[in-house]
Amino acid sequence: MKSEIKRAFRNKFFLFYLGIGILFIFLGYVLLITIDEVKHVTYSDISLSVYTVFSQFGPMIYTALNITMITSDYKDKNIAFYKEMGNDSVKYFLKKVCIIFIISLITSLLVSAVVCFFYNEPTMFLFYFLKLEALLLSFGVLNLIIAFIFKDFTKSFFINLFLWIGGIVIAGIDDKLSFLAYFDASMKNYNTFVQIIDKKILNPYALVLNDYLFVIIILVLAIVISFIFKKRWRKNGIL
C-alpha cells in the first residue's frame, strides 16, 4: 500500500485531485455572482453551489483522473508485477479504492473547511464533509470498476459518461429508479440536502447514513465484479 501512495504522489495524482477541488470552490463562487447574480453570498448559497459543481462536473472531470489509476497499469503491463507481489484482482482493486479514499478524504476536508469556516458555519463542517466525501467515493468506486473491466481509457471514460447521463434520464422518468442518479441535483437526495443547509431539517445525519449505505452497496457490488472478472484483469494486463 505504501508503494501505491508513493506512486500517487510521484505522478501528481494527489496534486491534481486537490487542485480540482479548489477549482470547484472558485467555480461555485463565480457561478453565484455571474449567472445567479447573487450580491451577497451567504453560507447557504456557497455550500449548495460548490456541492452542485461537484455533483455536476465531478462525473466528467474526476472520472478522467480516477480511471487513469487502472488504465495506466494495463497500458504499462503492470498487472504481472502486481501478481508477483501477491495481489489478486480483488486486492488490486481495493488498493486503488484506498487511494481514492485517502485523497478524496483530504479534498473533502479542505473544501469543507474553506466553505464552512470562511462563512462562519463551523457546526455544519462535519455534515458537509461527510456529504461531500460520500459523493466523491461513489464516483471513485464506479469509475474504477468500469476501468477495471474495459481497460482502454477512452472506452472507460465514455462508458462512465454514458452511464452517468443515462442514469439521470432514467431516474427522471421513474422516481423508483432515482438510485441511478443518487447524488444528482435533480434528485430527492439533493432536495433533502438543501433543506438541511437551510436548517429546515435539524438532524442531518440520517441523510449521511443513507449516503454511506449507498456507497457501501456499490463498493460491495464492485468487489464482487472484480472477483468475477479476475481472468479479464489478468488478460487486460497482458494484451
Side-chain angles (χ1 to χ4, degrees):
M1 194 62 216
K2 289 183 179 179
S3 61
E4 290 289 333
I5 295 173
K6 289 179 180 178
R7 184 181 176 192
F9 272 106
R10 189 170 58 250
N11 63 18
K12 305 298 190 298
F13 181 83
F14 277 68
L15 183 62
F16 287 130
Y17 220 101
L18 286 169
I20 293 169
I22 295 170
L23 177 64
F24 280 179
I25 298 174
F26 178 73
L27 182 57
Y29 181 81
V30 169
L31 290 175
L32 282 173
I33 62 176
T34 55
I35 296 178
D36 296 333
E37 298 183 350
V38 176
K39 301 300 181 182
H40 177 65
V41 178
T42 64
Y43 168 74
S44 178
D45 294 328
I46 191 65
S47 60
L48 292 174
S49 182
V50 170
Y51 181 85
T52 301
V53 170
F54 270 89
S55 66
Q56 298 297 316
F57 291 93
M60 290 184 288
I61 299 177
Y62 274 122
T63 292
L65 189 59
N66 290 336
I67 63 179
T68 58
M69 294 188 65
I70 289 181
T71 58
S72 61
D73 281 339
Y74 286 154
K75 183 179 178 181
D76 296 336
K77 311 302 180 188
N78 288 337
I79 302 307
F81 168 76
Y82 279 98
K83 287 183 64 182
E84 289 179 3
M85 296 296 292
N87 296 279
D88 56 18
S89 60
V90 174
K91 190 173 181 180
Y92 169 84
F93 178 75
L94 287 176
K95 281 186 175 182
K96 301 302 182 181
V97 172
C98 284
I99 294 297
I100 293 292
F101 171 72
I102 292 170
I103 186 55
S104 64
L105 193 73
I106 297 171
T107 302
S108 298
L109 281 169
L110 175 62
V111 172
S112 300
V114 171
V115 170
C116 295
F117 289 103
F118 188 81
Y119 282 86
N120 199 29
E121 282 286 351
T123 58
M124 295 298 291
F125 170 75
L126 180 60
F127 165 71
Y128 197 80
F129 156 67
L130 291 172
K131 181 67 176 168
L132 189 59
E133 175 63 8
L135 173 70
L136 291 177
L137 274 177
S138 68
F139 290 164
V141 172
L142 290 171
N143 295 161
L144 289 176
I145 198 59
I146 295 299
F148 182 93
I149 297 171
F150 292 100
K151 180 181 177 180
D152 180 71
F153 174 87
T154 303
K155 185 183 293 185
S156 297
F157 178 80
F158 281 103
I159 288 174
N160 271 289
L161 194 62
F162 174 79
L163 291 175
W164 171 53
I165 296 173
I168 294 173
V169 172
I170 295 172
I173 296 173
D174 189 344
D175 289 341
K176 294 179 181 179
L177 299 174
S178 61
F179 65 89
L180 294 175
Y182 185 81
F183 289 103
D184 190 76
S186 62
M187 296 295 113
K188 182 180 179 180
N189 179 280
Y190 181 79
N191 294 331
T192 304
F193 175 62
V194 172
Q195 290 181 304
I196 292 171
I197 293 297
D198 291 338
K199 298 184 178 180
K200 295 177 181 178
I201 296 177
L202 300 180
N203 180 18
Y205 296 103
L207 179 64
V208 167
L209 178 61
N210 288 333
D211 289 350
Y212 281 91
L213 285 174
F214 176 78
V215 173
I216 289 171
I217 289 170
I218 61 174
L219 176 59
V220 170
L221 290 173
I223 291 171
V224 172
I225 291 171
S226 70
F227 175 76
I228 293 173
F229 284 86
K230 57 185 176 181
K231 290 184 179 179
R232 188 180 182 92
W233 171 68
R234 291 193 294 266
K235 183 179 178 181
N236 284 343
I238 297 172
L239 300 179

